[in-house]
């Protein structure tokens, strides 16, 4: 709005000329004073109208400019709001997608665990029934109306806990089952090192059962009693699944962790477990860079249609394979590569002391043959320095064995849901 000074100045601009016009009409044209005054008034009114028109034009332009600025500002705000709304929608979709994936992974895990635990409970039918005890008839005892008293001698004393070496097969079987049901499954890791630097590049995961008292149940112990009882497929599957669960947590803490995990023929042939296991791995394909599934040479050579289909299902998800317990060097490296085998483990004894017949691959040529087919050779069961010197003559680049490190349990802190640490290696329990 114009200031008062500007309004007075504008008024004088058309009033002063009007007075001059009236005075000039009287002085130069002999107008009647009244007529001259009327002429001046008309001129002042015309000037005022012209001033008003000009002012309205100026205000109209200013208003139009302000409207344009407001419109531009509103358009900018609208774009910002649209961008913000798009980002909110994107975040909501991402959160929902990640939540659904996480929940699906959890549900698939729960389904596998429930299935295995139910099957484990079903194996109780294999336990030996307690013998029937015949009770001889005796004279009837006259009942007393007095309340019964129970002496301390009527309550059987608790059975002392036995050590593993003192248990019979039935007791050991129950102990194994209880360890599995209570999730007393520990993961041990043994390093696979580069040669000659001896720097850890991979680990092999080894599962161990643990009793309530903390005693370890080694595979040689539980396999002896679990297999005759028909429990071995379930035991093998639970151990494999627990190994996968632990490796998933390790991978979250160490992006470079690579772990060999054994799968037996029991798992590959299990028509109930393996499809569930594949479904679980479909929701954990990020583990393909951390997990190398390992099979014995006997399992690979004896693979039928079912086992081969199981291998193909895992290979389709991007998982790599390793063949260990190699005793026969007559194998088709190209065929193994086509089946997604990327590692082969041969013991130091087989490499250095094995006897070779016609058709065998000599140790000196084995490494190069595998390399040409995209397979890495790992010499395992290395226990003496002399063996390291000898295998280096064959240009072996990877080794495993007690000489480089014994299997050690993963620390409990690693398995908890804690933020990833800065340590480059997977933390292991102290010796």
């Amino acid at each position: 709005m114009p200031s008062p000074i500007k309004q007075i100045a504008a008024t004088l601009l058309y009033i002063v000329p009007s007075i001059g016009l009236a005075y000039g009409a009287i002085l130069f044209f002999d107008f009647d004073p009244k007529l001259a005054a009327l002429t001046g008034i008309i001129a002042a009114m015309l000037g005022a109208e012209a001033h008003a028109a000009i002012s309205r034009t100026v205000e109209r332009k200013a208003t139009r400019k302000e409207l344009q600025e407001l419109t531009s500002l509103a358009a900018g705000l609208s774009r910002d709001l649209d961008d913000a709304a798009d980002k909110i929608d994107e975040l909501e979709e991402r959160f929902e997608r990640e939540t659904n994936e996480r929940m699906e992974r959890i549900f698939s895990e729960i389904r596998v665990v429930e299935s295995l635990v139910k099957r484990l409970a079903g194996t109780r039918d294999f336990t030996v029934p307690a013998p029937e005890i015949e009770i001889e008839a005796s004279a009837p005892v006259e009942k007393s109306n007095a309340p019964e008293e129970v002496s301390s001698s009527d309550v059987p004393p608790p059975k002392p806990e036995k050590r593993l070496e003192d248990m019979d097969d039935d007791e050991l079987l129950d102990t194994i089952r209880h360890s599995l049901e209570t999730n007393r499954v520990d993961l041990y890791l043994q390093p696979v090192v580069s040669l000659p630097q001896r720097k850890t590049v991979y680990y092999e995961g080894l599962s161990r059962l643990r009793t309530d008292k903390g005693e370890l149940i080694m595979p040689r112990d539980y396999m002896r009693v679990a297999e005759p009882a028909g429990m071995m497929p379930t035991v093998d599957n639970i151990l494999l699944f627990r190994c996968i669960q632990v490796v998933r947590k390790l991978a979250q803490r160490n992006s470079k962790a690579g772990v060999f995990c054994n799968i037996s023929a029991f798992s590959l042939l299990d028509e109930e477990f393996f499809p569930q296991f594949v479904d679980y791995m479909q929701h954990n394909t990020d583990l393909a860079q951390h997990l190398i599934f390992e099979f014995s040479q006997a399992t690979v050579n004896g693979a039928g249609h079912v086992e081969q289909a199981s291998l193909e299902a895992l290979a389709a998800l991007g998982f790599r394979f390793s063949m260990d317990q190699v005793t026969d060097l007559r194998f088709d490296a190209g065929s193994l590569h086509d089946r997604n085998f990327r590692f082969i483990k041969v013991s130091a004894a087989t490499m250095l002391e094995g006897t070779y017949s016609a058709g065998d691959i000599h140790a000196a040529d084995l490494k190069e043959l595998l390399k040409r087919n995209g397979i890495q050779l790992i010499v395992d069961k290395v226990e003496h320095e002399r063996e390291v010197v000898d295998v280096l003559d064959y240009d072996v680049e990877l080794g495993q064995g007690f000489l480089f490190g014994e299997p050690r349990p993963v620390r409990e802190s690693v398995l908890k849901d804690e933020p990833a640490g800065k340590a480059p290696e997977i933390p292991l329990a102290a010796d």
Side-chain angles (χ1 to χ4, degrees):
M1 184 177 180
S3 64
I5 296 177
K6 289 183 178 181
Q7 288 182 338
I8 294 173
T11 302
L12 292 176
L13 285 175
Y14 55 80
I15 290 180
V16 171
S18 299
I19 295 175
L21 178 62
Y23 181 74
I26 295 174
L27 182 62
F28 298 105
F29 299 101
D30 295 328
F31 271 39
D32 183 81
K34 293 181 179 179
L35 181 59
L38 179 60
T39 301
I41 292 172
I42 293 173
M45 293 178 64
L46 291 174
E49 185 64 28
H51 177 261
I54 293 171
S55 298
R56 285 194 296 272
T57 301
V58 172
E59 291 178 358
R60 191 180 299 112
K61 289 182 179 179
T63 302
R64 186 179 296 112
K65 183 178 180 181
E66 291 178 358
L67 286 174
Q68 290 176 349
E69 292 177 353
L70 289 174
T71 301
S72 176
L73 179 61
L77 290 173
S78 178
R79 285 194 299 270
D80 292 341
L81 290 174
D82 290 340
D83 292 342
D86 292 340
K87 289 182 179 179
I88 292 173
D89 292 339
E90 181 181 351
L91 288 174
E92 288 179 347
E93 291 177 1
R94 179 181 174 184
F95 177 76
E96 183 177 358
R97 182 176 64 255
E98 291 180 352
T99 301
N100 290 337
E101 291 176 355
R102 190 179 302 108
M103 293 303 296
E104 180 60 33
R105 184 168 62 245
I106 293 173
F107 287 144
S108 64
E109 183 173 317
I110 291 174
R111 286 194 294 269
V112 176
V113 173
E114 285 182 346
S115 174
L116 293 176
V117 171
K118 286 179 180 178
R119 293 175 58 188
L120 183 63
T123 60
R124 293 184 183 276
D125 297 337
F126 290 97
T127 57
V128 178
E132 297 182 359
I133 301 176
E134 295 183 1
I135 302 176
E136 295 183 359
S138 59
V141 180
E142 184 177 350
K143 292 184 179 181
S144 172
N145 293 328
E148 295 183 356
E149 294 184 0
V150 179
S151 64
S152 58
S153 61
D154 294 329
V155 181
K159 294 182 179 179
E161 295 185 356
K162 291 184 178 180
R163 298 184 61 83
L164 290 176
E165 58 267 22
D166 299 328
M167 295 181 183
D168 59 27
D169 287 356
D170 292 335
E171 292 171 328
L172 181 57
L173 196 63
D174 285 337
T175 301
I176 293 170
R177 182 186 292 108
H178 181 67
S179 296
L180 294 169
E181 290 175 343
T182 55
N183 195 24
R184 295 183 180 274
V185 181
D186 297 332
L187 179 67
Y188 281 62
L189 296 180
Q190 184 176 30
V192 177
V193 303
S194 62
L195 295 176
Q197 299 86 357
R198 305 193 184 191
K199 180 180 178 181
T200 300
V201 289
Y202 299 103
Y203 292 94
E204 179 170 357
L206 305 167
S207 297
R208 300 287 186 265
L209 298 182
R210 181 165 36 88
T211 68
D212 293 340
K213 295 186 296 181
E215 288 187 87
L216 290 181
I217 311 176
M218 304 299 288
R220 62 177 178 270
D221 296 321
Y222 64 70
M223 290 179 65
R224 179 177 59 81
V225 296
E227 191 164 358
M231 278 181 58
M232 199 55 211
T234 304
V235 171
D236 184 73
N237 294 338
I238 291 179
L239 292 178
L240 169 64
F241 185 70
R242 292 307 185 199
C243 180
I244 301 302
Q245 288 179 306
V246 172
V247 171
R248 173 158 55 85
K249 293 184 178 181
L250 290 176
Q252 293 172 354
R253 298 179 60 91
N254 189 333
S255 60
K256 297 181 180 180
V259 181
F260 291 87
C261 186
N262 282 275
I263 296 183
S264 73
F266 289 122
S267 295
L268 296 176
L269 288 170
D270 196 322
E271 297 180 356
E272 182 178 351
F273 165 77
F274 204 79
Q276 294 180 346
F277 179 70
V278 171
D279 179 69
Y280 173 75
M281 299 312 298
Q282 284 177 339
H283 296 94
N284 292 272
T285 52
D286 57 308
L287 291 180
Q289 60 180 321
H290 304 287
L291 273 175
I292 304 106
F293 290 118
E294 195 161 76
F295 310 90
S296 67
Q297 186 179 38
T299 298
V300 175
N301 291 342
H305 176 73
V306 175
E307 296 97 321
Q308 188 58 38
S310 299
L311 291 177
E312 291 174 355
L314 288 176
L317 298 177
F319 289 95
R320 298 166 294 168
F321 305 139
S322 170
M323 184 171 72
D324 71 342
Q325 301 179 35
V326 175
T327 57
D328 186 355
L329 297 182
R330 289 171 295 183
F331 50 76
D332 187 343
S335 175
L336 288 173
H337 178 271
D338 293 341
R339 296 159 68 183
N340 231 35
F341 281 83
R342 297 294 180 264
F343 301 89
I344 286 182
K345 291 184 178 181
V346 180
S347 70
T350 301
M351 285 284 293
L352 303 175
E353 302 173 10
T355 57
Y356 304 97
S357 58
D360 284 355
I361 304 170
H362 195 275
D365 304 320
L366 179 59
K367 191 257 183 181
E368 287 302 320
L369 173 66
L370 295 177
K371 184 178 180 180
R372 289 197 301 269
N373 288 276
I375 299 175
Q376 286 187 282
L377 172 64
I378 301 175
V379 175
D380 63 354
K381 297 181 175 62
V382 179
E383 300 181 1
H384 306 288
E385 288 290 346
R386 181 61 192 173
E387 292 175 329
V388 178
V389 176
D390 292 338
V391 298
L392 285 176
D393 291 339
Y394 296 141
D395 199 23
V396 175
E397 298 175 349
L398 295 174
Q400 179 183 352
F402 277 32
L403 180 65
F404 307 125
E406 297 182 8
R408 294 165 58 190
V410 180
R411 288 206 304 257
E412 288 293 332
S413 59
V414 178
L415 306 182
K416 296 179 181 178
D417 294 328
E418 298 175 352
K422 296 182 180 180
E425 299 292 342
I426 297 176
L428 302 174
D431 290 329

